[in-house]
Amino acid sequence: MTLRLGVIGTGAIGREHIHRITNTLSGAEIVAVTDIHAEQAHAVVEQEKIHAKVYPDAHKLIGSSEVDAVIVTSWGPTHEEYVLACIAAGKPVFCEKPLATTAEGCMRIVEAELAYGKPLVQVGFMRRYDQGYRALKKVIDTGRIGEPLMVHCAHRNPSVPSSYTGDMAIVDTFIHEIDVLRWLLDDDYVSVQVVSPRKTKYAHEHLQDPLIVLLETAKGIRIDGEIFVNCQYGYDIQCQIVGESGTANLPEPSSVLLRSEAKLSTEILVDWKQRFIESYDIELQDWINSTLKGEVNGPSTWDGYAAAVTADACLQAKNTGQIVPVSMPKRPAFYTKNN
Ligand code: NAI
Ligand code: ISE
């Protein structure tokens, strides 16, 4: 059987996902698209040469009997409404991060899914599918560096547009670290503080950049996470776990080691789309395969909720300069362990 997919939002990542589903992945086809800028939806249909119908709005796409499952890649503030509509229609939905822009919004999705009685939602935390992070998790889980004590990590982008807000540093950018570290360490956060180093001259006037997020987990692990979105030199994701008997670093993306002009060098990627290209492929193929079996294997609504609770606390910590508690209710049995 081929899964008939509808995509809501044909911007940057929507187009990327349509392209990979059409050209690289198997088991699914794009039959429907929609965007508030209809011309963009038409353009992607033409560009990808797909036989997809352009719907006038997302609710008509979700309700269509021609659509088996939905991918939500529209702006973050629209996610909650569309994911809730998918659950109401009983349709599996892959939602890009964030699941909703607030913890309350995510909780409404948790409640709707619990009421429906069967998981339908996967959140686009693709780093859990990255081979490097998976290798790092294996090292931790097999005890090769002892119990993790500290984590040092960094999320650096070369630059961001002036539309990028201070809050986006947390809810759009650092949210990936929030999720992947919780999964790597199999732990939940208990408190957070955000501190501001000297500001780079390359940041727009309204933006404090870089930031350092200091998280503490229930097991007492301390994390320092750097967010630096105008670092100029490249798109650079770093993560080091310090354990009781060793340290483990996230592998660098593979690249040719060049000896030339009296220099030893390797390239650093500049584009997030390239850095995690394989993870997006593996993530969406896994979602297609499990959806065809009537299952959800990937990051759940609860993971989306946990990330939002933490992000909300990070924002409060950033705005007040205080150490803010991260209060997570107990995970309902419906949501099994992190994948
Ligand atoms: P974008 O701005 O390039 O695209 C968003 C599209 O959604 C636009 O074409 C816009 O017209 C459309 N849209 C907005 N409201 C809509 C509505 N009510 N109904 C239908 N379409 C609507 O943004 P981008 O970069 O593609 O991001 C989209 C989402 O994906 C965001 O939530 C973002 O955080 C997430 N994202 C995730 C990434 C990841 O690594 N997992 C990477 C990039 C984005
Ligand atoms: C973007 O929104 C993403 O989600 C990318 O994965 C991230 O690494 C990038 O920094 C964000 O701007």
Side-chain angles (χ1 to χ4, degrees):
M1 179 192 160
T2 301
L3 194 65
R4 298 171 304 166
L5 297 177
V7 176
I8 301 172
T10 53
I13 195 131
R15 287 196 300 269
E16 288 282 316
H17 288 344
I18 290 170
H19 183 79
R20 63 172 43 89
I21 288 164
T22 307
N23 296 284
T24 312
L25 309 185
S26 60
E29 66 173 319
I30 309 293
V31 299
V33 291
T34 188
D35 195 291
I36 43 159
H37 296 115
E39 69 285 358
Q40 256 184 233
H42 284 285
V44 76
V45 169
E46 205 169 301
Q47 193 184 326
E48 293 296 333
K49 300 184 176 42
I50 49 176
H51 299 291
K53 197 158 143 187
V54 176
Y55 282 73
D57 76 71
H59 289 284
K60 291 214 167 61
L61 178 147
I62 294 166
S64 167
S65 60
E66 289 165 19
V67 171
D68 301 321
V70 177
I71 295 183
V72 177
T73 45
S74 46
W75 292 324
T78 65
H79 293 184
E80 179 186 345
E81 176 186 338
Y82 297 149
V83 172
L84 286 173
C86 289
I87 295 173
K91 293 202 177 168
V93 51
F94 176 93
C95 179
E96 266 306 339
K97 45 62 66 169
L99 176 59
T101 49
T102 61
E104 292 74 34
C106 290
M107 185 43 88
R108 284 188 281 275
I109 299 175
V110 167
E111 283 162 0
E113 203 174 31
L114 287 174
Y116 183 75
K118 185 174 169 274
L120 284 177
V121 183
Q122 177 163 330
V123 184
F125 287 131
M126 79 298 178
R127 287 198 194 176
R128 296 183 184 208
Y129 293 88
D130 176 72
Q131 302 298 351
Y133 275 109
R134 286 189 166 195
L136 199 51
K137 183 158 177 61
K138 207 164 167 192
V139 166
I140 299 169
D141 289 351
T142 52
R144 288 190 56 197
I145 58 166
E147 291 295 331
L149 307 174
M150 292 175 279
V151 179
H152 310 296
C153 61
H155 188 143
R156 301 190 187 122
N157 293 53
S159 62
V160 287
S162 58
S163 55
Y164 186 96
T165 63
D167 286 1
M168 283 170 79
I170 304 292
V171 299
D172 209 52
T173 301
F174 194 68
I175 195 124
H176 284 294
E177 273 72 21
I178 291 175
D179 177 70
V180 83
L181 295 178
R182 180 175 162 268
W183 168 78
L184 267 182
L185 301 169
D186 191 19
D187 206 351
D188 271 314
Y189 306 113
V190 293
S191 75
V192 60
Q193 185 183 9
V194 177
V195 295
S196 310
R198 182 181 179 187
K199 181 179 160 172
T200 168
K201 67 171 178 286
Y202 295 111
H204 293 285
E205 212 183 329
H206 66 275
L207 193 68
Q208 170 55 47
D209 185 43
L211 287 174
I212 298 173
V213 181
L214 301 168
L215 286 158
E216 183 187 5
T217 74
K219 291 177 194 159
I221 301 168
R222 291 288 184 160
I223 298 164
D224 55 272
E226 171 198 316
I227 311 166
F228 188 13
V229 294
N230 289 282
C231 80
Q232 307 296 301
Y233 72 85
Y235 181 72
D236 194 7
I237 303 299
Q238 300 286 329
C239 182
Q240 182 186 60
I241 315 287
V242 181
E244 289 170 305
S245 57
T247 71
N249 280 42
L250 180 70
E252 294 289 342
S254 78
S255 162
V256 172
L257 185 62
L258 201 64
R259 285 175 162 81
S260 150
E261 297 174 343
K263 284 194 190 76
L264 185 60
S265 62
T266 54
E267 261 183 35
I268 295 179
L269 295 170
V270 290
D271 186 351
W272 54 264
K273 295 186 208 80
Q274 290 305 317
R275 171 64 180 83
F276 287 108
I277 193 161
E278 284 173 12
S279 326
Y280 294 118
D281 288 350
I282 299 169
E283 165 195 58
L284 276 176
Q285 188 64 68
D286 184 59
W287 177 69
I288 291 167
N289 296 349
S290 49
T291 302
L292 284 168
K293 285 192 244 158
E295 296 166 2
V296 182
N297 288 331
S300 66
T301 300
W302 189 257
D303 296 319
Y305 171 70
V309 168
T310 312
D312 281 0
C314 289
L315 289 178
Q316 201 188 329
K318 181 165 89 66
N319 295 336
T320 61
Q322 303 293 307
I323 298 174
V324 173
V326 180
S327 308
M328 279 282 297
K330 203 169 169 297
R331 177 175 47 210
F334 180 88
Y335 296 106
T336 48
K337 265 199 126 15
N338 295 342
N339 290 293

